[in-house]
Amino acid sequence: MQKRLLLVVILALLGPARLHAQPALALPIPLDVIAGPSPQSLTANGRLHLLYELRVTNFGAKPIELTKLEVLGDSGAIASYFGDDLDKLLMPIGPADPAIETRVVGAGRVVMVFLDLVLPAGALPPKQLRHRLSASASADVAEMVEGPVVTVVQEAPLVLHPPVSGSGWVAAFGLSSPNHRRALSTVDGRTWISSRFAIDWVRLGPEGRLFHGEPGVNANFYGYGAEVLAVGDGRIVGRKDGIPDNAGLNQKRAASMTPETIPGNALILDLGHGRYAVYDHLQPGSLRVRLGDKVRAGDVLARLGNSGNAMTPHLHFQLVDRPVHIAAEGIPYELEAFTQVGVATNPGEMLAGQAWAPGNQNPTVHRRKFPVDNAVVSFPSGK
């Protein structure tokens, strides 16, 4: 009896030891990947572009390195990013740690992935996009995370009349430029990218300079006071006036910056079907329309100014899905026609007063296209 009792005790003691000897559970990498608004293609330089974002959150207690991102369309792979190419797509949310690689997502941290898929010439937009993200929580083990399936909007983008006319216009901070594309705003418990397809229109003079004389004077900028035009038939649903202009090329602001004053003097034009044209930084007292006014494409609405959060005279133009300036999603569009005379590869030199010249770049007529970043273009005059 005593021997039997002793055997039971020994087995009881050995039981837990055998349980602890079993291998640990292999849990998947704790990444949560979600997509932003569904992309809609636009055409630039003869090729389709699909711009959209992914948000990657590390819900684990250890850093995770993103090693590869694959994007697949209806019939297979479209793009693959790794190394430096992957780094260029990523933006950490919150303070970045200079001691670690951009593609290493810290415990509890978030990174945004800014995608601009450029499809081959003549390609049609896919109906869906799938994503595979390779990631590693240690130096030896890499796992595949199936990301979201993104539906692509099949409707063609809205075609707009140009917001300005004449020659010498530079599409500054345009297509895929981080200055606008990565400008996230959190309003009412949600994060928006209203300037996803925004352009800052600045103008060059006959010698290829942005200004003549002293840059601290607005009137010395060739774009200052230029007519700002209706990009389509619609109704004015947003209007702000009375904010003083800043003084030429200047980091100081003539008014304190609040969500209401950041756009400066501004207009919002309802183009119908949930699409709104936004015009910011207009010249005070130059607005020719009032709330509720109906306008036609090409009508003069105001004059280009330097009000609000602007460091130099320019027109900030964007198309959004709500009748507000910031708490909205930027949506793509194309322009009826423009002639591209070149690309300004270094806008900083122009702000320093240097002249731009097209060099060997040949003028090219574009119809129903979106201008590339820093394209120098001319528009037809009048309606």
Side-chain angles (χ1 to χ4, degrees):
M1 182 69 181
Q2 289 180 346
K3 291 183 179 180
R4 186 180 303 169
L5 180 60
L6 179 60
L7 179 60
V8 171
V9 172
I10 292 173
L11 291 174
L13 291 174
L14 289 176
R18 287 197 300 270
L19 289 176
H20 287 299
Q22 293 179 358
L25 293 175
L27 297 175
I29 285 186
L31 288 180
D32 180 55
V33 187
I34 60 175
S38 294
Q40 181 179 16
S41 65
L42 59 79
T43 303
N45 265 358
R47 300 181 69 180
L48 287 183
H49 289 246
L50 290 165
L51 278 70
Y52 64 104
E53 301 81 37
L54 302 176
R55 183 181 301 181
V56 181
T57 303
N58 177 2
F59 277 94
K62 296 180 180 180
I64 297 174
E65 181 179 2
L66 310 180
T67 58
K68 187 177 182 181
L69 172 63
E70 296 174 275
V71 184
L72 301 95
D74 301 333
S75 56
I78 293 178
S80 179
Y81 306 93
F82 54 90
D84 291 342
D85 289 337
L86 179 58
D87 277 349
K88 293 174 183 177
L89 304 181
L90 305 179
M91 183 182 78
I93 301 300
D97 186 347
I100 64 173
E101 299 281 352
T102 304
R103 57 183 176 271
V104 175
V105 187
R109 295 295 300 273
V110 178
V111 297
M112 294 289 295
V113 185
F114 292 89
L115 287 152
D116 178 3
L117 297 182
V118 184
L119 305 183
L124 297 175
K127 292 182 172 58
Q128 289 186 329
L129 297 169
R130 294 182 294 118
H131 303 83
R132 293 175 182 165
L133 193 60
S134 297
S136 175
S138 70
D140 302 321
V141 181
E143 297 183 30
M144 184 82 72
V145 177
E146 290 290 341
V149 177
V150 174
T151 300
V152 177
V153 177
Q154 297 299 303
E155 180 184 0
L158 189 62
V159 179
L160 302 180
H161 186 284
V164 289
S165 65
S167 61
W169 291 101
V170 182
F173 306 135
L175 184 63
S176 283
S177 170
N179 304 69
H180 283 146
R181 177 82 195 280
R182 302 191 180 193
L184 281 66
S185 301
T186 301
V187 182
D188 297 331
R190 177 176 166 181
T191 299
W192 313 82
I193 308 179
S194 61
S195 57
R196 185 177 285 109
F197 299 96
I199 291 176
D200 284 349
W201 289 105
V202 297
R203 195 173 199 179
L204 302 176
E207 296 181 349
R209 289 184 169 87
L210 287 175
F211 57 88
H212 58 87
E214 172 58 45
V217 178
N218 283 322
N220 289 347
F221 281 79
Y222 291 102
Y224 186 74
E227 292 181 336
V228 173
L229 310 177
V231 294
D233 300 346
R235 184 171 59 90
I236 302 298
V237 294
R239 185 183 189 275
K240 179 73 174 180
D241 200 358
I243 299 175
D245 271 331
N246 306 312
L249 180 58
N250 200 328
Q251 294 287 350
K252 295 182 179 180
R253 304 293 179 258
S256 59
M257 291 294 95
T258 68
E260 288 73 31
T261 60
I262 284 174
N265 306 303
L267 291 169
I268 300 177
L269 175 61
D270 183 355
L271 298 171
H273 305 286
R275 297 173 293 198
Y276 302 87
V278 172
Y279 305 80
D280 289 347
H281 313 311
L282 304 173
Q283 191 180 113
S286 73
L287 281 63
R288 298 190 184 183
V289 289
R290 298 187 178 278
L291 286 176
D293 283 356
K294 293 182 178 180
V295 300
R296 304 282 291 178
D299 285 352
V300 177
L301 304 180
R303 292 190 177 275
L304 185 150
N306 192 17
S307 58
N309 189 30
M311 64 173 290
T312 189
H314 71 278
L315 170 67
H316 176 100
F317 177 82
Q318 61 191 31
L319 194 66
V320 294
D321 63 354
R322 301 177 72 218
V324 292
H325 295 270
I326 297 175
E329 295 292 354
I331 54 180
Y333 58 92
E334 295 171 348
L335 297 176
E336 289 174 346
F338 59 88
T339 299
Q340 180 175 313
V341 299
V343 177
T345 57
N346 194 340
E349 293 179 353
M350 295 188 297
L351 286 174
Q354 296 185 33
W356 174 83
N360 296 325
Q361 303 177 70
N362 295 320
T364 306
V365 177
H366 295 273
R367 301 187 187 281
R368 298 177 64 101
K369 302 288 192 300
F370 193 95
V372 298
D373 186 27
N374 294 322
V376 183
V377 306
S378 62
F379 294 113
S381 298
K383 295 188 178 184

